[in-house]
Amino acid sequence: MPELPEVEALADHLRRHAVGLPIGRVDVSAFSVLKTFDPPITALHGREVTDAHRWGKYLGCRPVTST
């Protein structure tokens, strides 16, 4: 899969530049995500990014979990 090195490079960039910062905004690229996402996207606003990973050809960031 030729896109995997690019996705890993983006995850590495996020680990170096986003970890420790609050989430200021979330853009949803597919409406279908909103139908099954729990907690809602709005709950991510203000949470701190703790990590970034690549899952196959997908990118994900982990926020601090709410208490």
Side-chain angles (χ1 to χ4, degrees):
M1 296 186 147
E3 73 274 1
L4 293 184
E6 289 86 358
V7 176
E8 184 56 43
L10 182 54
D12 180 60
H13 178 80
L14 288 173
R15 282 190 291 271
R16 289 185 282 121
H17 298 284
V19 169
L21 297 176
I23 298 170
R25 164 179 138 183
V26 177
D27 293 325
V28 177
S29 61
F31 181 72
S32 60
V33 171
L34 296 175
K35 294 190 287 185
T36 58
F37 191 81
D38 186 38
I41 295 291
T42 56
L44 295 174
H45 189 268
R47 288 193 183 173
E48 181 182 315
V49 176
T50 60
D51 202 1
H53 287 283
R54 175 183 63 84
W55 288 276
K57 62 181 181 177
Y58 300 103
L59 179 69
C61 292
R62 287 196 179 113
V64 171
T65 55
S66 62
T67 55

